[in-house]
């Protein structure tokens, strides 16, 4: 005969491990959330970002220059050429949209006047 | 002597879990499935109209335009069938439109809030009016989309906007201690010009890192632990997969817009101070006349409640409601409780004002 109540579950080591894991994750999450919300973190990440951008800038510029030169020598369009083309396309789209707006207005005005005419003749 | 033996069922179960985990982490879920039509485009922006499911006679008269943030896809509004805000609203009888900003290329790095608010939005709204046949409309702006819709409502109060819903709106940047992003983007630490000189636009990877680093343990570890624990539950896995697909599909933010977001708003709080100008026009929120509902997520770490409260006092609207709801920045609209709390509340408020 056992002293244990019938409803008690047998010990599950995995469940206990899970509970411990969740508790530690929760505590860790709280600490980290507080840590990132500090001026020290902001200052450190800002400094790292600035440093990596400054260090890579000369290489990026050199690569860009040589790429432009190479493309021009081969008679191929550069990124700047594509950008200016894209801008012109967008401007064209805007003009088309203006025409579309005027057409919409004309259609509505025509529809309204024909409704008025029909109402008058009736 | 008997060796260590593993039951074949346990091996099969482990194999199945591993297969499911690989599938979820390496594939993209089918999201944004509600049928829609493109009715207008400009550059990368598209205006969609969702195919109505309620007859025209039973539909609300006013169309509803959804405007989401600039650095994420708007698919979160239509995440998956059976769990989609768009689907919910069209079944409630709304004529729903979505303005998808698209992904800006390097050629769009000069685009500013000015262009989005005073060039793209008015054109899209003109088309919406032409298609819906209604001169009035409702606007719902979420996150950065709420900045755009607030600016539009203040600059064009006579353009037919009747109802304005702002979800987790980052509008007030005065409480620097309460906003982690404001700390990170402080002018003493954060050099926006250096980033834009290097990349032109704000890269999506940096935006994603920024959003996740606010809660690093939850986003980088806890999220995957939750998936592992629930791998045998297909409902949880499906929801996780859809959300993961959306979260990992960020887009760049146009360089000039990002500069305005950081310098004008995060660093100098120009919108709430009434000194923000777009194309030479001052954005004065007191000019907003549309009926206004501000939805605040109480557990929002991206846009803390202090950023959305003051619009409620400052906006010139007579009909205003501030709705607080437990949950996070995205969870209030896409979490498991959204269909029971946030969406019905929006429908109840908007329905009364959409006749």
């Amino acid at each position: 005969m056992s002293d244990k109540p019938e409803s008690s579950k047998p010990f599950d080591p995995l469940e206990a491990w899970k509970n411990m894991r969740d508790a530690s994750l929760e505590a860790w999450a709280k600490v980290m959330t507080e840590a990132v919300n500090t001026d020290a973190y902001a200052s450190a990440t800002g400094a790292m970002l600035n440093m990596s951008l400054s260090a890579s800038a000369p290489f990026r510029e050199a690569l860009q220059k040589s790429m432009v030169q190479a493309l021009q020598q081969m008679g191929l369009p550069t990124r700047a050429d594509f950008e200016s083309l894209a801008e012109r396309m967008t401007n064209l789209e805007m003009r088309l949209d203006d025409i579309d707006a005027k057409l919409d207005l004309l259609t509505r005005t025509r529809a309204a006047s024909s409704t008025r005419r029909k109402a008058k003749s009736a | 002597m008997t060796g260590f033996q593993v039951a074949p069922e346990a091996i099969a179960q482990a194999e199945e879990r591993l297969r499911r985990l690989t599938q979820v982490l390496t594939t993209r879920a089918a999201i944004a499935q509600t049928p829609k039509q493109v009715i207008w485009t400009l550059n990368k922006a598209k205006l969609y109209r969702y195919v109505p499911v309620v007859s025209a006679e039973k539909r609300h008269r006013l169309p509803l335009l959804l405007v989401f943030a600039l650095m994420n896809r708007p698919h979160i509004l239509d995440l998956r069938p059976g769990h989609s805000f768009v689907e919910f609203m069209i079944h409630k009888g709304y004529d729903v439109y979505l303005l998808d900003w698209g992904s800006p290329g390097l050629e769009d790095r000069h685009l500013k809030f000015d262009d989005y608010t005073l060039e793209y939005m008015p054109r899209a709204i003109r088309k919406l009016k032409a298609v819906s046949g209604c001169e009035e409309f409702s606007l719902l702006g979420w996150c950065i989309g709420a900045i755009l819709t607030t600016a539009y409502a203040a600059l064009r109060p006579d353009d037919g906007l009747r109802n304005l819903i702002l979800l987790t709106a980052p509008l007030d940047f005065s409480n620097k201690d309460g906003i982690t992003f404001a700390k990170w983007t402080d002018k003493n630490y954060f050099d926006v010009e250096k980033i834009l000189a290097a990349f032109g636009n704000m890269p999506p990877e940096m935006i994603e890192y920024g959003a996740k680093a606010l809660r690093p343990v939850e986003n980088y570890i806890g999220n995957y632990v939750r998936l592992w624990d629930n791998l045998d539950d297909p409902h949880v896995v499906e929801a996780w997969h859809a959300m993961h697909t959306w979260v990992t599909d960020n887009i760049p933010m146009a360089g000039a817009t990002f500069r305005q977001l950081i310098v004008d708003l995060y660093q100098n709080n120009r919108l709430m101070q009434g000194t923000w100008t777009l194309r030479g026009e001052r954005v004065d929120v007191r000019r907003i006349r549309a009926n206004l509902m501000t939805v605040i997520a109480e557990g929002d770490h991206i846009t803390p409640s202090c950023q959305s409260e003051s619009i409620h006092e400052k906006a010139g609207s007579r009909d205003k409601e501030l709705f607080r709801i437990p949950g996070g920045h995205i969870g209030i609209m896409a979490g498991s409780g959204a269909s029971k709390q946030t969406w019905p509340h929006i429908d109840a408020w908007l329905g009364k004002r959409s006749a």
Side-chain angles (χ1 to χ4, degrees):
Chain A
M1 213 173 106
S2 167
D3 290 332
K4 280 185 188 172
E6 281 185 13
S7 60
S8 73
K9 283 183 192 169
F11 176 70
D12 180 357
L14 197 66
E15 192 63 35
W17 177 81
K18 265 188 183 176
N19 289 339
M20 203 172 72
R21 179 202 67 188
D22 290 345
S24 67
L25 270 180
E26 205 175 304
W28 192 23
K30 210 174 162 194
V31 169
M32 286 302 289
T33 304
E34 279 169 19
V36 298
N37 190 20
T38 57
D39 285 322
Y41 179 84
S43 164
T45 49
M48 276 198 300
L49 183 63
N50 282 342
M51 206 168 64
S52 70
L53 290 174
S54 299
S56 60
F59 301 103
R60 222 176 19 248
E61 279 162 26
L63 183 71
Q64 209 173 334
K65 266 185 197 165
S66 58
M67 183 63 81
V68 169
Q69 277 172 357
L71 287 170
Q72 279 172 344
Q73 275 171 8
M74 285 188 284
L76 293 171
T78 63
R79 179 187 272 176
D81 295 326
F82 278 112
E83 282 173 21
S84 96
L85 209 60
E87 274 170 29
R88 287 171 66 185
M89 289 282 286
T90 305
N91 285 335
L92 273 174
E93 272 188 289
M94 282 194 193
R95 298 288 83 81
L96 280 174
D97 194 54
D98 291 340
I99 294 169
D100 186 48
K102 280 174 188 155
L103 275 175
D104 274 348
L105 188 68
L106 271 175
T107 317
R108 265 186 293 160
T109 317
R110 250 184 99 177
S113 61
S114 87
T115 315
R116 269 200 303 273
R117 265 203 308 273
K118 272 181 196 164
K120 258 187 192 174
S121 60
Chain B
M1 203 173 112
T2 320
F4 177 69
Q5 282 188 329
V6 180
E9 305 88 63
I11 296 174
Q13 199 189 6
E15 267 179 18
E16 176 57 24
R17 283 172 69 85
L18 197 63
R19 190 196 62 76
R20 205 171 290 160
L21 182 70
T22 314
Q23 193 242 331
V24 168
L25 293 178
T26 57
T27 60
R28 305 197 69 74
I31 58 175
Q33 298 289 294
T34 306
K36 57 186 181 290
Q37 295 170 307
V38 179
I39 59 165
W40 172 90
T41 63
L42 177 61
N43 194 5
K44 316 292 188 304
K46 284 183 184 142
L47 179 65
Y48 291 105
R49 184 193 190 201
Y50 287 92
V51 178
V53 293
V54 173
S55 64
E57 307 82 55
K58 288 182 183 167
R59 245 180 271 152
H60 295 284
R61 192 175 71 84
L62 260 61
L64 168 64
L65 175 60
L66 311 175
V67 180
F68 192 57
L70 296 163
M71 70 284 256
N72 302 99
R73 307 259 182 208
H75 309 330
I76 190 71
L77 287 155
D78 181 26
L79 198 57
R80 56 197 169 95
H83 196 78
S84 150
F85 175 65
V86 166
E87 190 186 67
F88 175 85
M89 292 303 270
I90 57 173
H91 279 95
K92 290 287 178 184
Y94 294 91
D95 190 8
V96 181
Y97 296 77
L98 170 75
L99 186 50
D100 181 349
W101 298 112
S103 178
L106 207 55
E107 65 278 11
D108 302 310
R109 65 184 181 278
H110 303 299
L111 279 181
K112 299 169 83 174
F113 273 105
D114 310 45
D115 304 300
Y116 289 121
T117 310
L118 294 174
E119 193 73 66
Y120 285 64
M121 281 184 69
R123 287 173 184 273
I125 286 166
R126 179 197 66 74
K127 195 67 190 175
L128 171 146
K129 287 178 183 174
V131 172
S132 67
C134 185
E135 281 302 306
E136 289 187 296
F137 61 98
S138 305
L139 257 180
L140 181 148
W142 188 2
C143 190
I144 305 287
I147 300 179
L148 293 162
T149 50
T150 301
Y152 177 84
L155 292 169
R156 297 289 178 266
D158 302 316
D159 204 22
L161 175 62
R162 199 202 287 180
N163 305 306
L164 175 62
I165 300 170
L166 302 176
L167 297 178
T168 63
L171 302 173
D172 187 344
F173 300 83
S174 56
N175 180 1
K176 302 281 180 208
D177 283 332
I179 311 165
T180 308
F181 274 146
K183 264 187 194 146
W184 293 359
T185 55
D186 186 290
K187 51 185 152 235
N188 294 317
Y189 315 129
F190 190 77
D191 191 344
V192 66
E193 295 307 330
K194 220 170 226 172
I195 295 175
L196 298 184
F199 304 111
N201 291 326
M202 181 62 175
E205 296 80 10
M206 288 177 82
I207 296 171
E208 190 180 334
Y209 167 76
K212 285 186 172 172
L214 286 173
R215 295 262 168 102
V217 176
E218 287 93 329
N219 289 319
Y220 288 111
I221 301 169
N223 196 24
Y224 297 93
V225 169
R226 195 171 66 84
L227 172 66
W228 179 255
D229 286 349
N230 291 287
L231 267 177
D232 299 320
D233 184 338
H235 297 294
V236 176
V237 172
E238 192 193 335
W240 195 98
H241 193 198
M243 186 59 87
H244 183 70
T245 299
W246 177 76
V247 165
T248 52
D249 187 19
N250 291 313
I251 51 180
M253 191 174 191
T257 308
F258 184 69
R259 181 185 291 113
Q260 283 180 301
L261 180 68
I262 300 303
V263 178
D264 292 355
L265 301 178
Y266 271 100
Q267 292 177 352
N268 293 298
N269 193 26
R270 286 192 183 135
L271 175 60
M272 275 302 141
Q273 285 179 353
T275 55
W276 203 31
T277 53
L278 301 181
R279 290 198 175 169
E281 293 184 58
R282 193 167 70 85
V283 186
D284 183 356
V285 295
R286 289 173 306 181
R287 291 184 68 209
I288 297 175
R289 286 209 304 273
N291 305 321
L292 175 68
M293 178 161 75
T294 313
V295 180
I296 291 177
E298 287 176 334
D300 194 343
H301 58 290
I302 294 174
T303 306
S305 57
C306 61
Q307 293 201 265
S308 317
E309 283 159 351
S310 53
I311 185 68
H312 196 69
E313 297 146 26
K314 292 193 176 176
S317 319
R318 282 189 196 157
D319 178 355
K320 292 189 265 194
E321 183 181 323
L322 192 68
F323 176 49
R324 289 175 191 277
I325 189 159
H329 190 71
I330 298 300
I332 59 157
M333 283 296 278
S336 53
S339 59
K340 293 177 195 82
Q341 288 186 300
T342 323
W343 304 348
H345 193 88
I346 291 174
D347 167 44
W349 185 87
L350 195 58
K352 286 181 207 156
R353 294 162 178 83
S354 293

